[in-house]
Amino acid sequence: MAERPKGGEGLRTALSTLDGPLRFLLLSSFLIPLGSFMVLPFMSVFLHERLGLGLGTVGVVLAVASLVQFSGGVVGGSLADRVGLRRTMLWALIIRTTGFLGLLLALRWPPLAVGALVLTCCGAALYLPANKAYLVRGVDDEHRPAFLSAGNAVLNAGMAVGPLIAGPFVLSSPGWLFVAVSGLFVLVTAGHARLPAEAGEERPGDGPAVRPAPGGEGLLPFAANALAFYLYFHFQHFLAVYAVERASSTFYSLVLLLCFALVIVVQPLASGLIRRMRYATALAFGFICLATGLAVLAAGTRPAMLAGGALITLGDIVLFLKNDLEALRRSPRSDAMVFGRQRLAAGLGACASGVLGGQLYGLTEQAGRTGWFWLLAAAQCVMLPPVLLALRDRPAKHPDPLDDSQGALRAYDTDRRLSGR
C-alpha cells in the first residue's frame, strides 16, 4: 500500500491539481479580503470621527452589519442552489462593489454610509458559501481539507495585509481609498464573469452524491460551530480594549499579525491531520486550546497576550475547519447550503458573544478586575462543550470510521471532571 502523503506533501499534491479558474478563485480569495479590510476594520473610527455618528449609534450599526454578514450565508447558499455558484458570486460582488461606491458618496451625504456598509455585508454573506462550494466542487473527501485550508490561508493573508496598507489613509484620504477599493472590486467582478459556468453551477442530477446523514442533518456541527464562534469572539471583540490599555495599539496589531500568520502557515499544513482526527477529538482539542489561551490572557502581560493569542488561534484552526468538514459529511444538502448554515451558526455565536461578552467585560471593568473576564470565558470553554452531548445525532447508516463523536465527547467530559478542570 502506498504511503499516504502527509503535511505539506499532501497539500502540494492536492493544490497541484488546480486549474486556471480555481487558481483565479484563490487569488480572489486574497484580493477580496485585502480590499475589504482596507476599509472595514476602520469603520468605527470613520463613522465616529469622520462622519460624526455617536458611539452608541456606531455600535448598533456594526452589530447589525456583522449579523448580516455572517447569518446571511443561509440566503447565499439557497441562492446558489437556485441560480448557480458563478452567478451568485457575480451578483454578490456587484452588490459589494456598489456598497463601497456608496461609502465614497457618503463623504458628501453621511447618512448614506450606514446603508452602504450594510450593502457590503450583504454582498459578503452571498459570496462566501458559493465561493467555498465552487472551490471544492468535484474534489474528493481526502483533498477537500487542503482546498478549504488553502482558501482560508489566502483569506487571512488578505485580512492581515489590508489594514497595513490602508491605515495611513483611512482618515486623511478616505475618498482615494474608497476609489481604490471600488476599482479593485470592479476588476475582481470582471474576472468572475469569465469563470466557466459548467465548473461551478449546480444542475439537477449533476450535484455531488447524497451523503449518508445522521438524524437532524448534522445539528452537532452547527451547534459546535456556533459555540466555537461564541467563545472565540470573546477574544476577537475585546482583546483590543484589553491590549491597548496594557501595552499599545502597535502591540495589539502585532498579536493580530501573529494570529493571522499561524492560520496562514499552520492550517494548510495540518489540514490532512485535521481531516483524519475523530470529530470529538478535534472538538476536545480545540476547546481545550481556547480555554488555555483565554486563561493565559488573564495575566495581562505582553508575553501572555502573545501566547494566549497563539493558543486561541490553534484552537480555532482545528475547530472551524473540522466543523465545516463534518457538516459536509453529515448533510445531504448541497455544499453551498451547508456552508451557508455554518455561516449562520457563526453569526449567531459572534452576535451572542458581543452582547453577553460586552456585559461581562463591562462588569469586570467596573470592578477593576478585567483579568477575570478571560478566566470566566475560559471556564465557559470547559463547561459548555459537554452540553453538545444533548445534541448528538442518531448513528449514521454508514458511519465514518474516523468519527466517534458521542464516545469521545463523553471521554472529554470524564477527563475534565477527573482532572478537576
Side-chain angles (χ1 to χ4, degrees), residues 41-286:
F42 304 102
M43 284 309 299
S44 59
V45 179
F46 177 76
L47 292 173
H48 178 57
E49 296 189 11
R50 183 78 185 195
L51 301 185
L53 298 182
L55 285 174
T57 303
V58 169
V60 172
V61 170
L62 294 180
V64 171
S66 297
L67 187 60
V68 168
Q69 180 168 340
F70 278 103
S71 302
V74 171
V75 179
S78 178
L79 182 64
D81 277 353
R82 292 177 179 275
V83 305
L85 301 174
R86 183 182 67 93
R87 291 193 187 98
T88 300
M89 289 190 290
L90 195 57
W91 279 108
L93 288 170
I94 291 172
I95 291 171
R96 205 160 196 200
T97 304
T98 303
F100 284 116
L101 289 171
L103 290 174
L104 176 63
L105 297 176
L107 294 172
R108 297 281 184 158
W109 189 42
L112 188 61
V114 175
L117 175 61
V118 173
L119 204 59
T120 65
C121 293
C122 288
L126 295 177
Y127 181 83
L128 193 61
N131 169 275
K132 285 188 171 184
Y134 195 111
L135 187 63
V136 302
R137 181 173 170 79
V139 177
D140 59 58
D141 289 342
E142 182 176 356
H143 290 143
R144 280 189 168 199
F147 280 68
L148 286 175
S149 60
N152 290 339
V154 294
L155 183 144
N156 277 271
M159 292 167 61
V161 174
L164 297 178
I165 296 176
F169 309 107
V170 70
L171 291 180
S172 61
S173 305
W176 288 109
L177 179 63
F178 294 150
V179 168
V181 172
S182 299
L184 175 63
F185 270 82
V186 168
L187 293 175
V188 172
T189 303
H192 277 69
R194 298 179 62 84
L195 287 174
E198 65 273 15
E201 290 186 1
E202 302 280 359
R203 295 184 178 87
D206 191 38
V210 174
R211 309 175 187 92
E217 293 185 2
L219 178 59
L220 181 57
F222 180 90
N225 210 45
L227 180 58
F229 270 84
Y230 164 73
L231 295 168
Y232 170 73
F233 264 75
H234 283 70
F235 168 76
Q236 187 76 14
H237 283 315
F238 304 108
L239 180 66
V241 179
Y242 186 74
V244 170
E245 179 182 319
R246 285 160 177 75
S248 66
S249 58
T250 302
F251 181 77
Y252 169 65
S253 299
L254 179 62
V255 176
L256 292 185
L257 282 174
L258 171 65
C259 296
F260 283 131
L262 284 173
V263 175
I264 293 167
V265 175
V266 174
Q267 190 177 73
L269 295 177
S271 60
L273 175 62
I274 294 171
R275 183 190 72 84
R276 295 190 295 272
M277 291 175 72
R278 295 180 184 274
Y279 181 41
T281 300
L283 291 182
F285 176 85

Side-chain angles (χ1 to χ4, degrees), residues 333-388:
R333 297 176 182 268
S334 69
D335 291 348
M337 279 299 297
V338 171
F339 288 127
R341 283 165 56 91
Q342 291 299 95
R343 289 286 288 179
L344 172 61
L348 294 175
C351 184
S353 178
V355 174
L356 301 177
Q359 296 295 321
L360 183 60
Y361 194 93
L363 291 174
T364 57
E365 186 178 47
Q366 290 176 9
R369 299 286 186 131
T370 48
W372 280 96
F373 169 79
W374 304 108
L375 294 176
L376 292 171
Q380 293 181 74
C381 293
V382 174
M383 293 186 294
L384 293 180
V387 177
L388 295 174

